Coordinates of all heavy atoms in Angstrom, one line a residue:
K1 N 29.2 59.9 -40.4 CA 29.8 59.7 -41.7 C 31.1 60.4 -41.9 O 31.6 60.5 -42.9 CB 28.8 60.1 -42.8 CG 27.6 59.2 -42.8 CD 26.6 59.7 -43.9 CE 25.3 58.9 -43.9 NZ 24.4 59.3 -45.0
G2 N 31.6 61.0 -40.8 CA 32.9 61.7 -40.9 C 32.7 63.2 -41.2 O 31.6 63.7 -41.4
G3 N 33.9 63.9 -41.3 CA 33.9 65.3 -41.4 C 33.3 65.9 -42.7 O 33.0 67.1 -42.7
A4 N 33.3 65.1 -43.7 CA 32.8 65.6 -45.0 C 31.3 65.8 -45.0 O 30.7 66.4 -45.9 CB 33.2 64.6 -46.1
H5 N 30.6 65.2 -44.1 CA 29.1 65.3 -44.0 C 28.7 66.3 -43.0 O 29.3 66.5 -41.9 CB 28.5 63.9 -43.7 CG 28.7 62.9 -44.8 ND1 27.8 62.7 -45.8 CD2 29.7 62.1 -45.1 CE1 28.2 61.8 -46.6 NE2 29.4 61.4 -46.2
R6 N 27.6 67.1 -43.4 CA 27.2 68.2 -42.5 C 26.2 67.7 -41.4 O 25.9 68.4 -40.5 CB 26.5 69.3 -43.3 CG 27.5 70.0 -44.2 CD 26.8 71.0 -45.1 NE 25.9 70.3 -46.0 CZ 25.0 70.9 -46.8 NH1 24.8 72.2 -46.7 NH2 24.2 70.3 -47.6
G7 N 25.6 66.5 -41.6 CA 24.7 66.0 -40.6 C 23.3 66.7 -40.6 O 22.7 66.8 -39.6
L8 N 22.9 67.1 -41.8 CA 21.6 67.8 -41.9 C 20.6 67.0 -42.6 O 19.4 67.4 -42.7 CB 21.8 69.2 -42.6 CG 22.7 70.2 -41.9 CD1 22.9 71.4 -42.8 CD2 22.0 70.7 -40.6
G9 N 21.0 65.9 -43.2 CA 20.0 65.1 -44.1 C 18.7 64.8 -43.4 O 17.6 65.2 -43.8
L10 N 18.8 63.9 -42.3 CA 17.6 63.5 -41.7 C 16.9 64.6 -40.9 O 15.6 64.6 -40.7 CB 17.9 62.3 -40.8 CG 18.2 61.0 -41.6 CD1 18.5 59.9 -40.6 CD2 17.0 60.6 -42.4
A11 N 17.6 65.6 -40.4 CA 17.0 66.7 -39.8 C 16.2 67.5 -40.8 O 15.1 68.0 -40.5 CB 18.1 67.6 -39.2
W12 N 16.7 67.6 -42.0 CA 16.0 68.2 -43.1 C 14.7 67.4 -43.4 O 13.6 68.0 -43.6 CB 16.9 68.3 -44.3 CG 16.4 69.2 -45.4 CD1 15.4 70.1 -45.4 CD2 17.0 69.2 -46.7 NE1 15.4 70.7 -46.6 CE2 16.3 70.2 -47.4 CE3 18.0 68.6 -47.3 CZ2 16.6 70.5 -48.7 CZ3 18.3 68.9 -48.6 CH2 17.6 69.8 -49.3
V13 N 14.8 66.1 -43.5 CA 13.7 65.3 -43.8 C 12.6 65.5 -42.7 O 11.4 65.6 -43.0 CB 14.1 63.8 -43.8 CG1 12.8 62.9 -43.9 CG2 15.0 63.5 -45.1
Y14 N 13.0 65.5 -41.4 CA 12.1 65.6 -40.3 C 11.4 67.0 -40.4 O 10.1 67.1 -40.3 CB 12.9 65.6 -39.0 CG 12.0 65.7 -37.8 CD1 11.4 64.6 -37.2 CD2 11.8 67.0 -37.2 CE1 10.6 64.8 -36.1 CE2 11.0 67.2 -36.1 CZ 10.4 66.0 -35.5 OH 9.6 66.2 -34.4
G15 N 12.1 68.0 -40.8 CA 11.5 69.4 -40.9 C 10.5 69.4 -42.0 O 9.4 70.0 -41.9
I16 N 10.8 68.8 -43.2 CA 9.9 68.8 -44.3 C 8.6 68.1 -44.0 O 7.5 68.7 -44.2 CB 10.6 68.2 -45.5 CG1 11.7 69.0 -46.1 CG2 9.5 67.9 -46.6 CD1 12.5 68.4 -47.2
L17 N 8.7 67.0 -43.4 CA 7.5 66.2 -43.1 C 6.6 66.8 -42.0 O 5.4 66.9 -42.1 CB 7.9 64.8 -42.7 CG 8.0 63.7 -43.8 CD1 6.6 63.6 -44.5 CD2 9.1 64.0 -44.8
T18 N 7.2 67.3 -40.9 CA 6.4 68.0 -39.9 C 5.8 69.3 -40.4 O 4.7 69.6 -40.0 CB 7.3 68.3 -38.7 OG1 8.5 69.0 -39.0 CG2 7.7 67.0 -38.0
N19 N 6.5 70.0 -41.3 CA 5.9 71.2 -41.9 C 4.7 70.9 -42.8 O 3.9 71.7 -43.0 CB 6.9 72.0 -42.7 CG 7.9 72.7 -41.8 OD1 7.6 73.0 -40.7 ND2 9.1 73.0 -42.4
H20 N 4.6 69.6 -43.2 CA 3.5 69.2 -44.0 C 2.3 68.6 -43.1 O 1.3 68.1 -43.6 CB 3.9 68.1 -45.0 CG 4.5 68.7 -46.3 ND1 5.7 69.2 -46.4 CD2 3.9 68.8 -47.5 CE1 6.0 69.6 -47.6 NE2 4.9 69.3 -48.3
G21 N 2.5 68.7 -41.8 CA 1.5 68.1 -40.9 C 1.6 66.6 -40.7 O 0.7 66.0 -40.2
G22 N 2.7 66.0 -41.2 CA 2.9 64.6 -41.1 C 4.0 64.3 -40.2 O 4.3 64.9 -39.2
G23 N 4.8 63.2 -40.5 CA 5.9 62.8 -39.6 C 6.7 61.7 -40.3 O 6.4 61.2 -41.4
V24 N 7.9 61.4 -39.6 CA 8.8 60.4 -40.1 C 9.2 59.6 -38.9 O 9.5 60.1 -37.9 CB 10.0 61.0 -40.9 CG1 10.7 62.0 -40.0 CG2 10.9 60.0 -41.4
A25 N 9.3 58.3 -39.1 CA 9.7 57.4 -38.1 C 10.8 56.4 -38.6 O 10.7 56.0 -39.8 CB 8.5 56.6 -37.5
V26 N 11.8 56.1 -37.8 CA 12.8 55.2 -38.2 C 13.0 54.1 -37.2 O 13.1 54.3 -36.0 CB 14.2 55.9 -38.4 CG1 15.3 55.0 -38.8 CG2 14.1 57.1 -39.4
S27 N 13.0 52.8 -37.7 CA 13.3 51.7 -36.8 C 14.4 50.9 -37.4 O 14.5 50.8 -38.7 CB 12.0 50.8 -36.7 OG 11.6 50.4 -37.9
S28 N 15.3 50.4 -36.6 CA 16.5 49.7 -37.1 C 17.1 48.8 -36.0 O 17.0 49.1 -34.8 CB 17.5 50.7 -37.6 OG 18.7 50.1 -38.1
Q29 N 17.8 47.8 -36.5 CA 18.6 46.9 -35.7 C 19.9 46.7 -36.3 O 20.0 46.5 -37.5 CB 17.9 45.6 -35.4 CG 16.6 45.7 -34.5 CD 16.1 44.3 -34.2 OE1 16.4 43.3 -34.9 NE2 15.1 44.3 -33.3
P30 N 21.0 46.7 -35.6 CA 22.4 46.5 -36.2 C 22.4 45.2 -36.9 O 22.0 44.1 -36.4 CB 23.3 46.5 -35.0 CG 22.6 47.3 -34.0 CD 21.1 47.0 -34.1
G31 N 22.8 45.2 -38.2 CA 22.9 44.0 -39.0 C 21.7 43.6 -39.7 O 21.7 42.7 -40.5
N32 N 20.5 44.2 -39.3 CA 19.2 43.8 -39.9 C 18.5 44.9 -40.6 O 17.3 44.8 -40.9 CB 18.3 43.2 -38.8 CG 18.8 41.9 -38.2 OD1 19.2 41.0 -38.9 ND2 18.7 41.8 -36.9

């Protein structure tokens, strides 16, 4: 997203969920 973003958002999400004993998964296809 460019220099204005720190790139911590999804890393933070991952940390929160794993600390709860759970997890997070992402699936995606370009344009879909």
Side-chain angles (χ1 to χ4, degrees):
K1 298 178 181 179
H5 292 267
R6 293 175 295 170
L8 293 174
L10 287 177
W12 193 13
V13 171
Y14 180 86
I16 290 172
L17 270 300
T18 53
N19 285 339
H20 277 75
V24 57
V26 178
S27 55
S28 181
Q29 291 184 347
N32 290 320

